[in-house]
Amino acid sequence: MPAKHLASLCWAFASSGCESPELFQAAKLRALELAENFTVQEIADVLWSFATTGNSDPEVFAAMANLAQMYIQGFQLHDLSNTMWAFAAAGYPAPDFFERAQRVKRSSRDGCVCLSAA
């Protein structure tokens, strides 16, 4: 299953209120395999899904925190806020991510608010 489909699956189950530990355990294993294939939106969706369902696995959050930190300049505000919320809701500190997030500046491009490292 491609990263895009896994992120969509996690989001759909979380949005429907399904907290299935079995499903999220399987998603965790696949997410760790695919971690470097996720886009910033997919990172945000996976983290949001895990946090929303109470399946806040430290391994998933650690892997996604590393990716989010590396790709911070690609986050749109919505994805950034969902990612920050997910870390907070899961109780996962992600200090490097939050430090980088504090240093981003907003710039408008094609009517879309985008982020770039300051």
Side-chain angles (χ1 to χ4, degrees):
M1 171 182 300
K4 175 182 178 178
H5 296 161
L6 180 63
S8 294
L9 180 73
C10 290
W11 179 88
F13 274 88
S15 294
S16 71
C18 178
E19 299 176 0
S20 171
E22 297 83 13
L23 175 110
F24 280 92
Q25 177 62 28
K28 165 199 165 176
L29 298 175
R30 191 67 178 139
L32 294 174
E33 291 173 9
L34 296 171
E36 298 196 9
N37 296 314
F38 286 110
T39 66
V40 292
Q41 181 180 353
E42 293 160 359
I43 292 168
D45 289 348
V46 167
L47 289 172
W48 179 87
S49 300
F50 273 76
T52 296
T53 60
N55 290 291
S56 303
D57 188 283
E59 284 184 90
V60 171
F61 277 77
M64 296 296 160
N66 288 335
L67 291 173
Q69 177 189 329
M70 290 184 337
Y71 303 136
I72 191 92
Q73 69 278 1
F75 277 82
Q76 293 190 14
L77 287 177
H78 178 77
D79 299 325
L80 182 64
S81 65
N82 281 350
T83 300
M84 294 172 105
W85 176 88
F87 285 133
Y92 189 85
D96 294 335
F97 171 76
F98 279 96
E99 181 181 326
R100 296 259 347 244
Q102 289 175 11
R103 295 187 316 219
V104 296
K105 65 177 183 176
R106 288 179 286 186
S107 63
S108 180
R109 184 180 72 207
D110 299 327
C112 172
V113 177
C114 300
L115 300 173
S116 61

